[in-house]
Amino acid sequence: MAKSYGTVSAEQKLKMSGLAFVQGLASGALPLNTIARTLGYDVAEAERGRVVVTLVPTDAHLNPAGTVHGGLTATLLDSCMGLAVQSMLDTGTSQTTLEFKISLVRPITPDTGPIRAEGRVLNCGRRIGTAEGRVTDGKGRLLAHGTTTCLIFPS
C-alpha cells in the first residue's frame, strides 16, 4: 500500500490501541506525519515494543560540514523510540516525549546508504515509558544511539 501523509483524527485515534495505530503507520493504512514526508523517512516495521524507521540520506540532509545533520538523526531516534512506547499502550491512551538523549557515534553521509533506526521499549508503566534506540547502516554498524522517557496519559 502506498504511503500517505497527514494526521489521524483524534476521534479515530481514540478507537485504536497503540499497537494498531503504529502498525497502521507501517502498513500505510494510516497517514505518516508530515515531517516524515519533509525528511524522507518511513515507519517500516512495527510490533509490540519495537518500531523501525528507515531513511536514505541525501544531499538535502547535510549540515555545512557535509555530513547528515544531527537533528535528522535525533528525529529518527525520537520517532522510533516514541512509537515503540506508543505500541505498548491501550486504547484511549497516548504518550509524548519528556526527554531524550542521543549519542552520535559515526558520521552519516549520502554514501552511507540506507539507515535504520530501531526503537525498543525498556519499561512501560501507567505514567512513564522508557525506550532505547539504535541507528545502524546496511552493514549493521552503529551510527548513533539514544534513550527516551515518555509521559503516558489518557487521550
Side-chain angles (χ1 to χ4, degrees):
M1 179 179 279
K3 299 288 177 110
S4 63
Y5 301 91
T7 56
V8 177
S9 73
E11 180 180 282
Q12 184 179 7
K13 194 173 177 206
L14 268 174
K15 298 175 184 175
M16 306 175 76
S17 70
L19 182 58
F21 175 77
V22 178
Q23 287 178 330
L25 299 176
S27 72
L30 295 174
L32 293 172
N33 54 350
T34 54
I35 192 72
R37 177 180 53 210
T38 300
L39 297 177
Y41 70 85
D42 186 26
V43 177
E45 299 174 31
E47 60 187 58
R48 186 168 168 80
R50 181 182 157 276
V51 171
V52 175
V53 173
T54 58
L55 172 111
V56 177
T58 70
D59 290 343
H61 301 125
L62 301 182
N63 63 27
T67 59
V68 168
H69 193 285
L72 176 68
T73 308
T75 300
L76 296 178
L77 285 165
D78 187 38
S79 296
C80 74
M81 294 184 299
L83 288 173
V85 172
Q86 184 71 37
S87 75
M88 302 290 290
L89 303 182
D90 293 331
T91 303
T93 309
S94 296
Q95 60 81 31
T96 191
T97 302
L98 284 175
E99 62 95 27
F100 70 102
K101 178 191 183 308
I102 68 165
S103 295
L104 306 169
V105 178
R106 285 188 172 90
I108 302 170
T109 70
D111 292 336
T112 302
I115 59 175
R116 61 187 272 129
E118 182 173 343
R120 289 185 179 269
V121 170
L122 296 170
N123 186 68
C124 192
R126 289 185 326 113
R127 300 281 297 158
I128 299 291
T130 59
E132 63 185 359
R134 296 171 48 91
V135 178
T136 55
D137 66 11
K139 297 176 184 174
R141 292 181 297 190
L142 184 65
L143 306 173
H145 59 92
T147 57
T148 191
T149 303
C150 297
L151 175 66
I152 298 167
F153 57 93
S155 296

